[in-house]
Amino acid sequence: ELKGSKGVAAFREMATNHPVVGSMLFAVKMMMRQVPWDVKPANALDPAAIEGAEFVSSCLDDMSHTWDDALVEILSMLTYGWAFLETTYKQRMGPGDDPTRRSKYRDGRFGWRKIALRGQESLQGWQFDDNGGLRAMVQWAPPDYRQRVIPIERGLLFRPTFEKQNPEGVSPLRTAYTSYYYSKHFMRIWGIGIERDLNGIPVAWVPPEMLGSNAPSEMSANLAAIKKIVTQIRNDEQAGLVFPMAYNDAGQKKYDLTLMSTGGKRNFDLVAAMSYLDSKIAQTVLADLILLGHGETGSYALSESKMDLFSQALDAWPDSIASVFNRYAIPRLFAINGMPEESMPTLTHGKVAKMPLERLSAFVQAMASSGAAIFPSPDLEAHLLREAGLPVPQADCSEIGKSAVTDTSTAIREALDEFNRAIGDAA
């Protein structure tokens, strides 16, 4: 049920129709979108490496869609277990009408035009080479629904986790499916039960001869019609019923329809069962903190510890996204532009969740009271400001920090001047 097109349909239904699954995925995606991303040069002192990092950053900012849009499509892997995005390129020839050349830049280099998702529901299959390596994705895509083969050299395959080199990966919703299955059916039974409790169970009384195995065809047809009435009767604005007024020799009705009330309290509480299943669904990705205050109770310390564990678990997914870009997307971009590999940067990211300011303040106070020299360090100062979500000034706040930066910059300039003089003497 969870393989191929059936699995795609099942996971799509879970993500779009179940409130707990939907809120869980919403929380994960919103937290992931707040992660800061940066392009780090291979060597901070090498001008070519710095230029390479600036080029990749400009490519991420020069696509026909934003990086956030691409990230949202990548995060569809959390629903289906995989996301295949095709990379298309353009020559950067400045503003214009041609989308294959339109760009903010006019340097003639090739940059990313799109990093676009190829819908999971369009998957028809995969192609593998003789050694079991993935060669291409085969899709049956709208609007013309023709078979298209996208080679892996033009694609980026993202998976939250995988096993046995399966390109379809393993969805985080996989372990929630059993709970979702029962929760879905319990919800339907619960709705039917409420309706029956409010309206009663319809009971049709018919002559005994209609129920016999030897009943004439006319009676059998009438019995089938009455059964249809009983199973489809609803107490709504179109409610109405027509029954024959017929009596037997004793003066009793041959036909009648009554509503039988149901019993009292049930042996099983469906609401409690569904709440239990919902908590199990949220626990599959450690997101049960979203249920605190909605049936679940817990202290502030418990919610804080759950949030920490949830954030640490989410940190692994930006790592997998960055690794795909660093291993495939950026090297291909450098190769198509004939740029050297040694100047190739890496895509990096920050943490999913920041440390709470109360704990950060307590940590700083504890360090300061123990005699640690914190604020003379401009790097530590900048880090604390970033952790608190505050702007980092271009100039350091303390005079000691200013002098430290000045001394470092002077030393770097002197070293570079000495290096240039040595190169000139050698020439």
Side-chain angles (χ1 to χ4, degrees), residues 375-378 381 396 398-406:
F375 289 102
S377 169
E381 241 183 295
D396 295 299
S398 63
E399 293 299 326
I400 299 178
K402 290 180 180 179
S403 62
V405 171
T406 302

Side-chain angles (χ1 to χ4, degrees), residues 145-193:
Y145 293 96
R146 293 170 50 197
Q147 186 183 80
R148 287 177 171 83
V149 179
I150 306 174
I152 192 63
E153 290 79 14
R154 284 169 42 198
L156 300 172
L157 180 60
F158 298 90
R159 293 168 290 186
T161 183
F162 65 96
E163 58 184 16
K164 301 178 182 178
Q165 298 299 320
N166 187 348
E168 296 183 25
V170 180
S171 170
L173 302 182
R174 174 62 185 86
T175 51
Y177 180 73
T178 303
S179 298
Y180 164 77
Y181 176 85
Y182 285 107
S183 176
K184 169 186 171 183
H185 288 280
F186 286 175
M187 178 74 73
R188 182 171 176 270
I189 294 170
W190 181 58
I192 295 173

